[in-house]
Amino acid sequence: MTQDELFKVLVAHCKEYGFIFPSSEIYDGLAAVYDYGQMGVELKNNIKRYWWEAMTRLNENVVGIDSCVFMHPKVWVASGHVAAFNDPLIDNKDSKKRYRADVLIEDYLSKIEEKISKEVAKGRKKFGDSFNEEEYRATNPNVLREQKKYDEVHNRYVAAEQANDLNEYRQIILDCKIVCPISGTCNWTDVRQFNLMFSTQISNTGESDDRIYLRPETAQGIFVDYLNVQKTGHMKLPFGIAQIGKAFRNEIVARQFIFRMREFEQMEMEFFCRPGTEMEFFEKWKQNRMKWHVNLGMGAENYRFHDHEKLAHYANAATDIEFNFPFGFKELEGIHSRTDFDLSNHQALCGKKIQYFDPEMGESYVPYCVETSIGVDRMFLAVLSHSYTVEELEGGDSRVVLKIPAPLAPVKVAILPLVKKDGLPELSQEVVNEIKYDFAYQYDEKDSIGKRYRRQDAIGTPFCVTVDNESLQDRCVTVRDRDTMEQVRIPIAELRQHIDEKVNMRGLLRNL
Ligand code: ATP
């Protein structure tokens, strides 16, 4: 299956098994807005819990808050979002489709990179052990030609980005003959800036002063609550404030399922520290966050850091943690050293002192801060795309199984009476009563046991427990493992402990 096909299958699977539905589907949906179904919400909640507990419980100096979506409009002036939270958009006049000009150019550059990688792979195959990649890259004419092309476009692109030169974006698109994937033509409009914030009105007088925004990031809620938390929590620097919540962006191009949505959820943490110590904490949080990801067991090779070449004006260091999605390595989480930009701007605009008195230094200052910011939905997509597996079984059969890390699985255990009679449903109910206070479970007595196993595999349930006639005598049940399909016989009295070892979040957190 190609990566593209896998992505399509995944979207269909999400719908069929109650993970994700298009929003308002009975009215043909709403672009880039999705609902989480009965399975999806459980997985999403587990992801959030893993993050929340790793942040707030495992770090004594990190506390959580829950601020509102609506905030005073001045917040977004101070943060720079009103003036500069823009994307450069361009339309194709033939297909009438809209694109982000920067993304068109970046995709073009990625394709050149791919070509170079393929050339290098060819060389590696040809020369085997004696292959010297550095020398090959420096001498192979195909690689050199592509690299030259890449460097030229990349340099123009970085310069255009820095100068915010929209005409140059368009010129690069024309010069590189980048076509619209729908119409196949180069018939482009000018490039325009487009602010990504949604706005609405707080009262009904219709005055323009009433305009407020739906927050495009949760971070500003943390900044404006900084003083309250610091004072009421008697927090000493360095300390962090974590938050999970909805964010809204009017994304121009939203065609990648839950990778880029208009309403999404973020898990953000701002770590405040003494100016001059921020790089130490930037490094610490980089390592800490990577460990959190790798700890899930989805393969260290599927993550990489991507350091930013061009820094936002407020940042003095920035990196992304990228994940190997079905459509390639893409940003999953951002880690930024944001200096004192946000707190200083709020201080200037609100006219109140937002400072910390440092008893060791005997002076007050505006703290610096390091941010970690991850999208819940992107994390959901990372888990799901990595977990989706099609396995060939003996006898020519196959099964679709979601190998979701067990502590994140929506349902932990399924209780399945072998038949719907002879007292097995009653005994199964006893088993349910034994485990229901600890684990999310499903009880299923419909269809053959084989079909029921497939249904549980398809939603990623780590354990299936079968209750059979023998169970009535020996009070043991058969427990089938999702990944190995191995079956063991276990006394009902020991079932809870057996399941717990694998699915409890405690084990995951302990390894951090
Ligand atoms: P991108 O470059 O992909 O647009 P970004 O750099 O604008 O992302 P940030 O502003 O750094 O993203 O937001 C932090 C995190 O929030 C991202 O790493 C991502 O996981 C998530 N995120 C941002 N925009 C969206 C979106 N439209 N839909 C889903 N998740 C998003």
Side-chain angles (χ1 to χ4, degrees), residues 249 251 259-261 264 266 331-334 373 375 378:
R249 295 182 188 179
E251 297 281 1
F259 183 81
R260 194 175 297 288
M261 300 156 89
F264 58 102
Q266 290 185 313
E331 174 179 340
L332 171 59
E333 168 156 9
S373 171
R378 274 193 201 174

Side-chain angles (χ1 to χ4, degrees), residues 358-425:
D358 189 327
E360 273 174 40
M361 295 184 64
E363 61 179 78
S364 294
Y365 51 77
V366 179
Y368 269 39
C369 126
V370 172
E371 169 183 274
T372 71
S373 171
I374 171 170
V376 181
D377 314 271
R378 274 193 201 174
M379 185 61 200
F380 188 107
L381 186 58
V383 170
L384 220 82
S385 58
H386 182 267
S387 307
Y388 185 90
T389 319
V390 183
E391 275 182 3
E392 299 304 325
L393 302 175
E394 280 170 26
D397 221 2
S398 71
R399 68 166 184 155
V400 172
V401 50
L402 292 187
K403 296 191 170 178
I404 299 173
L408 302 186
V411 175
K412 305 293 193 249
V413 51
I415 311 296
L416 316 170
L418 196 60
V419 289
K420 242 193 287 187
K421 53 182 185 185
D422 303 335
L424 298 190

Side-chain angles (χ1 to χ4, degrees), residues 63 226-236:
V63 294
Y226 162 82
L227 267 187
N228 281 334
V229 174
Q230 194 269 320
K231 293 221 162 94
T232 58
H234 310 287
M235 308 298 290
K236 297 220 166 5

